[in-house]
Amino acid sequence: IVIKPFWMAFKFHGTRASLITYLLSKGQQETIIKSISGHTLDSQSFTRYVKISNDMKLKAMQKIAMFVD
């Protein structure tokens, strides 16, 4: 059995972007996601894979609202 890095198993950018966005939405650390996806820690291309959803924005605003009340 040959074990490849995760990022080599998925060659489609859409799949890669979905995984990165999903992991970020679940609160995973960016450095861990970069390691999983094959990006270097100082990667400039990483952010193009992040798709911020309305749900992610809503959750962020709800966290802020807890401190304002």
Side-chain angles (χ1 to χ4, degrees), residues 2-69:
V2 176
I3 299 175
K4 296 180 180 181
F6 179 82
W7 60 271
M8 289 182 76
F10 294 95
K11 298 190 185 284
F12 299 105
H13 289 276
T15 304
R16 194 176 194 195
S18 295
L19 174 68
I20 289 170
T21 301
Y22 174 77
L23 291 174
L24 282 172
S25 74
K26 295 301 178 186
Q28 187 57 258
Q29 293 178 358
E30 192 174 297
T31 53
I32 300 298
I33 299 170
K34 285 181 178 181
S35 176
I36 291 169
S37 63
H39 289 94
T40 60
L41 293 179
D42 61 346
S43 174
Q44 298 296 316
S45 65
F46 178 78
T47 55
R48 75 175 169 188
Y49 291 98
V50 178
K51 308 299 180 205
I52 305 299
S53 68
N54 287 334
D55 186 52
M56 292 169 72
K57 292 175 191 177
L58 178 62
K59 287 179 183 177
M61 294 305 294
Q62 288 170 337
K63 287 180 182 179
I64 293 169
M66 289 189 310
F67 294 107
V68 175
D69 288 340

